[in-house]
Amino acid sequence: WAKTTTMKADDDMTDLTDDFSGSRSDGIRDGAHPQKGGTSLLRQILQAMNPAVCLAPCGNPLADEDEAIDYDATVIPIIKELKSAKTRTLALQKLFKLTDKESQQHRVPVVCSASFNVIEALLRCIAPDAPANDRRQALLILNNLCIPHENKRHLLLGEARDPLLTRILLIFERRLAEAHIAAACLYNLSFLEETKTMLISYQPQGINRTESIRSSYSFQSPTSQESSLLRIVEDMVVYFSPYMSKSYQKKISTVEGATIRWAMALMRNLVTVHENAAIVASTTKFPALASQYLQESTRNMELWTIDSLEDSSLLFLLMLIQSGDDSVKAIDTQELRAALQKVSKLPGIHGVRASVILERLDEVAEKENNWAEVLAEARGTTVNKAAAMMQLAASKDEFSEAEFDGRSGLASF
């Protein structure tokens, strides 16, 4: 792990599956769905010309019935093969072929079937003591299976949640080389709106971090446990950040950088909930890390695509400033402003976003200055509470009387 492993520069979520193609078998044997042979060229042309096929959003609505597969007859034998060390690697290749990009229609039936439990079988393959190659293949399969909305609900709202999240977090905790794929899996799961609050405060089973890290953090509910999902992800990103700096300097992509990239995309998704954003802004190092990545980035603008580290970091900060003045004040630092000033000079949407964040920082800072000036004057004179409130109102600051009382100490006037 001391040596940084290079990856493809254009590696992204969908390419996680493509990167696996070199190690998978040419086809699924023993449990595969039948492949039609001898299809005439004329038939292929006629099907391609049919409007019902050309305009279909996915798949071929005119596909032959014999292309359907019996999932029980196909998947159950694969699950049995996953239990044996001798047949596990081939079984993983079969399962990957069954659920890869070209076979997306199989992903929901494979996960949500009541006849078998493929997730339980995969979890044994991603255990920390499993062979590294098998763990990598199993995580690539899991990444595919985490994409459909139906599977997200099944995995996060069903019995699979605790063992699945615990295994993923164990990979983070032990800094395994497949952490970037595990982070992509968690990122894919984080799109389910009703589970975002649960995820940010999730406490995994069987992970007790004995090392005291309380000196580094200010713990607040609901993230008061150092072994919560938020703290484990944060600790991993902090640990890998020096690798990110080196990859920027050498202009290479690394597995550590890919892990940070998907972790920041995960946080970007979770802070769309304002309560989550307030917690992250005031109690974690993620805002400072996002600022660091934007400041250190040397990549060309055309690489700042959706889900890139730079794009996710900027959107993450944009979400934080929308969660209230307290969050804005918590993240407002000279380092952040310097990074945003750099990005604001860039053309396109990224420059606009950086400018919006800077305007929001200035707005809250100006409001704070108004408060300070008026309250200082109020305390130094015999001005009454009503007059002080009127003076603040004249500055166009919005506040409640309770907020005024709490901050000014003039409630007794």
Side-chain angles (χ1 to χ4, degrees):
W1 197 246
K3 293 185 177 180
T4 303
T5 306
T6 58
M7 299 176 60
K8 297 184 299 181
D10 58 348
D11 196 9
D12 60 22
M13 179 182 66
T14 54
D15 288 336
L16 288 174
T17 55
D18 295 339
D19 192 39
F20 182 72
S21 58
S23 60
R24 70 184 187 219
S25 61
D26 293 333
I28 303 179
R29 298 185 296 274
D30 298 333
H33 57 80
Q35 298 290 333
K36 278 192 67 68
T39 303
S40 68
L41 176 62
L42 177 60
R43 180 179 179 183
Q44 294 180 27
I45 294 174
L46 290 175
Q47 283 189 349
M49 294 173 61
N50 191 313
V53 177
C54 298
L55 302 179
C58 61
N60 182 355
L62 301 182
D64 290 355
E65 292 183 0
D66 59 357
E67 290 183 357
I69 69 170
D70 182 340
Y71 289 103
D72 287 358
T74 301
V75 180
I76 291 178
I78 294 177
I79 291 177
K80 291 180 179 179
E81 293 175 359
L82 288 174
K83 297 178 180 179
S84 170
K86 295 182 179 179
T87 57
R88 184 180 298 128
T89 299
L90 180 59
L92 286 169
Q93 293 171 357
K94 294 178 182 179
L95 190 56
F96 180 86
K97 182 67 176 178
L98 182 63
T99 58
D100 66 6
K101 191 183 300 184
E102 288 73 32
S103 306
Q104 298 181 39
Q105 70 274 18
H106 302 317
R107 292 173 178 176
V108 173
V110 164
V111 170
C112 300
S113 172
S115 304
F116 50 80
N117 190 339
V118 73
I119 298 300
E120 181 181 13
L122 283 174
L123 290 181
R124 289 193 291 268
C125 300
I126 67 172
D129 57 349
N133 287 338
D134 289 348
R135 183 167 55 246
R136 182 178 184 276
Q137 293 181 13
L139 283 168
L140 287 168
I141 296 168
L142 188 60
N143 181 67
N144 287 342
L145 298 179
C146 288
I147 293 174
H149 181 80
E150 298 89 340
N151 288 0
K152 291 176 176 42
R153 297 185 62 84
H154 181 87
L155 295 173
L156 291 180
L157 300 177
E159 296 179 356
R161 183 194 71 176
D162 290 334
L164 172 61
L165 293 181
T166 299
R167 285 291 168 86
I168 289 176
L169 293 177
L170 274 173
I171 292 173
F172 296 162
E173 179 74 4
R174 302 193 182 186
R175 313 284 192 263
L176 298 181
E178 302 79 23
H180 64 296
I181 312 176
C185 293
L186 199 53
Y187 159 74
N188 278 324
L189 291 172
S190 68
F191 283 93
L192 192 60
E193 195 69 28
E194 58 264 43
T195 61
K196 290 183 178 181
T197 300
M198 176 275 294
L199 282 174
I200 206 165
S201 59
Y202 181 75
Q203 182 72 23
Q205 299 177 341
I207 300 181
N208 295 312
R209 307 177 76 193
T210 56
E211 303 88 353
S212 175
I213 57 174
R214 293 186 176 275
S215 59
S216 302
Y217 300 104
S218 173
F219 289 94
Q220 297 182 14
S221 180
T223 55
S224 59
Q225 298 295 323
E226 55 261 47
S227 55
S228 69
L229 181 148
L230 178 63
R231 296 307 181 192
I232 291 176
V233 173
E234 180 184 32
D235 200 31
M236 174 185 66
V237 173
V238 170
Y239 181 84
F240 283 155
S241 285
Y243 293 95
M244 194 70 248
S245 300
K246 292 179 181 179
S247 68
Y248 276 143
Q249 295 169 6
K250 297 180 180 180
K251 296 185 178 181
I252 59 174
S253 295
T254 65
V255 292
E256 296 88 353
T259 304
I260 293 175
R261 169 194 176 188
W262 293 119
M264 290 304 299
L266 164 68
M267 296 310 303
R268 179 202 69 203
N269 280 358
L270 295 183
V271 297
T272 57
V273 178
H274 284 185
E275 292 78 6
N276 290 355
I279 292 171
V280 171
S282 60
T283 67
T284 74
K285 297 181 179 179
F286 283 113
L289 291 168
S291 170
Q292 174 187 332
Y293 303 144
L294 291 172
Q295 180 66 48
E296 293 181 351
S297 178
T298 57
R299 302 203 308 162
N300 294 330
M301 279 291 296
E302 58 265 24
L303 298 178
W304 290 31
T305 55
I306 295 175
D307 293 335
S308 66
L309 178 58
E310 295 86 354
D311 185 72
S312 293
S313 296
L314 201 54
L315 280 174
F316 167 78
L317 294 169
L318 194 61
M319 296 297 176
L320 293 188
I321 66 168
Q322 298 178 38
S323 63
D325 289 359
D326 288 341
S327 296
V328 176
K329 289 183 287 186
I331 69 173
D332 192 356
T333 62
Q334 291 182 351
E335 291 78 12
L336 175 61
R337 285 178 175 270
L340 292 172
Q341 288 286 358
K342 169 191 170 184
V343 179
S344 67
K345 298 175 183 177
L346 299 176
I349 188 62
H350 298 101
V352 173
R353 288 171 179 165
S355 298
V356 169
I357 299 173
L358 281 170
E359 289 177 6
R360 178 70 172 134
L361 295 177
D362 290 339
E363 175 189 338
V364 174
E366 183 180 357
K367 183 176 179 179
E368 285 297 298
N369 290 335
N370 288 340
W371 271 98
E373 292 174 4
V374 172
L375 295 180
E377 181 180 348
R379 292 192 182 97
T381 66
T382 58
V383 67
N384 59 28
K385 172 182 172 180
M389 290 182 67
M390 287 179 63
Q391 188 171 348
L392 279 172
S395 67
K396 299 181 180 181
D397 286 334
E398 295 181 2
F399 59 89
S400 66
E401 186 170 353
E403 181 184 8
F404 179 88
D405 290 345
R407 298 184 64 174
S408 68
L410 295 177
S412 59
F413 275 66

